[in-house]
Amino acid sequence: MTATGEAAGMGVRGAPTGPWWWARRRSLVLDVCLTLVSVLECVVEGAGFSREASLPLGFGVLVGALAGSVMLLRRRWPVAAVLVSIAVTPAQMGFLLGVVALYTLAASDVPRRIIAVLAGMSVVGSLIVVFVRFDRDMAQDGYTPGVWLIAAISVLVALGLSGPPVLLGMYVGARRRLVESLRERADGLERELSLLADRAEERAEWARSEERTRIAREMHDVVAHRVSLMVVHAAALQAVAVKDPEKASRNAALVGDMGRQALTELREMLGVLRRTPEGQVAEKPSAAEPTRLAAAAVAVASGGPAEAGPGAEAAGGVTLVTGEGGEGPCLADLEDLVGQSRAAGMVVELLAEGAERSYGSSVEQTAYRVVQEALTNVHKHAPGAKARVRLARREAEVALQVENGPSDGGADVRLPSGGNGLVGMRERVSALGGVFVSGPTDSGGFRVSAVIPGGSS
């Protein structure tokens, strides 16, 4: 943060560094020097006026000293300083006081109409004094010019004494107000940038949290199903190893295939996580990582992972999950998915309704993952149960249902359960604006239903 904000302007606007009404000590020193010069000038002119008016010398000196000392109050009471200068104008004293007071008044925040009235009074007072003095001096020299000439000269002198200080003061005041306005705007921008930076950091942290959740969900869906089938096949292999070596060999081959497929999918996912959009492997975060995180946070806040779908890019330009145009699973792969469960000994029926349509990659991948996780739950919680997978392809949505009956007492392979399957399915479907319902059936089984919006592409 720069020092152009309130900290830099405290000497002018909030907490003055000088005594009384002076913002700075140098302003006090300047006013004291001007006051001394003004007092000296007014004392000399007051003494001359006393001699001309046949008044006591001390009276003229006292009036001059008092009038000149008003210079010290010009910043605090500029109107009073101008009125005093106008009042002593007939005595032909206070020239410096009048000029500086008019400048201070014009540069202050006094309303313009008051400035105009006081400046007009000063011009009129100077005009009268100059007219009388000029006419008297010309008469003493034996020269009597025309009234119009004397009036013209008087107007020029009066305007020359009052106009420049007022114009200069108005210019300085306008410039000062402009600078203060710009400073206030800079302060506001700094505060806004600070708030934006904090908000971007919060959004980046939120984005990282969302991406961690998505990664965990994807890892669970990809690996859990394969590993569950491996455990089922391994249990079957253990049961028939002695009685049926040929079937045991087939089960062993299936376990090997499942393991290789699980490793392949896991390796592909980790490779995608580490690969940038340009195809390069991300090794170390660059110096611009915070900026990219903030940009990703703004993008997530405007659309969010829900709208972006599984194909969204994570902070820093790293693709976390395959998406549009990627190689993720689709509805056409459901037959193979059901076949894998059949090979593991489960009785599964697949019913498809509606003409084949092509949906968005995120829609098809979500539907596939829901069926995959539902079948995995059947392996875990209802060994030996029959399952039915129903798929309805519609013009504006995809509807699917996975229902299984009660367990028939088959061997429990003791598959671990983390309790995240239904949560992950609900998150996936809700992220696309769909509806997800799950619960037990009257027959003692379990049903998972989902409707995912997404028109045909």
Side-chain angles (χ1 to χ4, degrees):
M1 303 297 288
T2 63
T4 61
E6 293 183 0
M10 289 298 285
V12 177
R13 291 180 289 143
T17 59
W20 296 334
W21 53 82
W22 285 278
R24 293 179 295 272
R25 295 186 182 276
R26 62 181 182 182
S27 300
L28 171 62
V29 173
L30 175 62
D31 283 357
V32 168
C33 294
L34 289 175
T35 301
L36 293 177
V37 175
S38 178
V39 168
L40 180 60
E41 177 202 354
C42 290
V43 165
V44 173
E45 293 173 344
F49 175 74
S50 298
R51 287 193 298 269
E52 292 181 1
S54 301
L55 296 174
L57 181 61
F59 175 78
V61 172
L62 178 61
V63 172
L66 293 175
S69 61
V70 175
M71 179 73 75
L72 198 63
L73 308 176
R74 69 181 183 93
R75 296 180 189 268
R76 181 66 173 176
W77 294 290
V79 175
V82 174
L83 290 175
V84 171
S85 68
I86 295 174
V88 298
T89 299
Q92 300 180 16
M93 68 173 67
F95 170 76
L96 179 61
L97 174 63
V99 172
V100 176
L102 283 175
Y103 163 80
T104 306
L105 177 68
S108 65
D109 295 329
V110 175
R112 293 293 180 87
R113 61 178 180 275
I114 298 180
I115 296 176
V117 170
L118 294 179
M121 292 173 58
S122 178
V123 170
V124 171
S126 300
L127 176 63
I128 295 173
V129 171
V130 172
F131 184 89
V132 174
R133 183 64 181 268
F134 187 74
D135 183 64
R136 185 184 61 183
D137 292 343
M138 292 296 101
Q140 290 178 356
D141 294 340
Y143 175 70
T144 55
V147 177
W148 292 109
L149 178 60
I150 298 176
I153 295 175
S154 301
V155 169
L156 292 177
V157 173
L159 292 177
L161 293 175
S162 303
V166 172
L167 295 177
L168 180 61
M170 293 179 66
Y171 167 76
V172 172
R175 183 175 178 275
R176 181 184 302 145
R177 286 186 289 272
L178 175 62
V179 171
E180 291 179 356
S181 174
L182 293 176
R183 184 181 292 114
E184 290 176 358
R185 293 179 62 183
D187 294 342
L189 288 175
E190 286 184 356
R191 289 191 294 269
E192 186 175 353
L193 287 176
S194 178
L195 291 176
L196 288 176
D198 295 341
R199 190 175 301 174
E201 185 176 354
E202 293 175 359
R203 288 174 176 173
E205 182 61 30
W206 177 77
R208 286 192 291 266
S209 176
E210 287 292 318
E211 294 303 335
R212 284 194 294 266
T213 303
R214 292 174 58 195
I215 292 172
R217 184 169 60 241
E218 193 72 15
M219 296 280 287
H220 175 271
D221 292 344
V222 169
V223 178
H225 180 73
R226 299 291 185 187
V227 175
S228 298
L229 293 179
M230 289 174 61
V231 174
V232 172
H233 283 293
L237 175 63
Q238 184 179 7
V240 302
V242 178
K243 299 179 181 179
D244 192 348
E246 184 178 353
K247 187 175 182 180
S249 177
R250 290 197 302 270
N251 286 341
L254 286 175
V255 171
D257 291 340
M258 292 293 177
R260 282 187 290 272
Q261 291 176 8
L263 288 175
T264 299
E265 291 187 6
L266 182 60
R267 187 179 296 110
E268 289 177 354
M269 177 174 292
L270 294 177
V272 170
L273 291 176
R274 299 185 59 195
R275 188 171 296 115
T276 62
E278 290 77 12
Q280 300 176 351
V281 177
E283 297 179 353
K284 292 173 27 176
S286 63
E289 185 68 15
T291 303
R292 295 202 303 270
L293 286 176
V298 173
V300 169
S302 61
E307 288 78 2
E313 292 185 357
V318 179
T319 304
L320 293 178
V321 187
T322 57
E324 298 293 342
E327 299 179 357
C330 58
L331 294 177
D333 299 328
L334 286 181
E335 187 67 40
D336 295 336
L337 179 65
V338 171
Q340 294 170 4
S341 294
R342 289 171 179 165
M346 180 189 297
V347 179
V348 188
E349 181 183 5
L350 176 61
L351 302 176
E353 302 176 4
E356 292 190 2
R357 290 184 173 89
S358 177
Y359 298 92
S361 175
S362 58
V363 175
E364 296 201 6
Q365 183 176 352
T366 298
Y368 180 92
R369 295 301 186 197
V370 169
V371 176
Q372 183 184 56
E373 182 59 28
L375 293 178
T376 302
N377 288 340
V378 176
H379 284 292
K380 290 181 180 179
H381 306 293
K386 298 181 180 180
R388 177 182 297 169
V389 179
R390 301 183 62 182
L391 171 67
R393 296 184 177 93
R394 300 166 184 168
E395 184 176 355
E397 62 186 13
V398 178
L400 51 93
Q401 183 183 90
V402 180
E403 181 179 354
N404 63 274
S407 176
D408 63 355
D412 188 0
V413 295
R414 298 187 301 278
L415 286 170
S417 176
N420 297 318
L422 294 177
V423 175
M425 286 189 280
R426 187 181 303 277
E427 289 178 349
R428 283 183 177 275
V429 175
S430 299
L432 297 179
V435 179
F436 177 83
V437 179
S438 63
T441 62
D442 296 337
S443 61
F446 199 84
R447 181 187 298 118
V448 171
S449 303
V451 178
I452 307 172
S456 303
S457 60

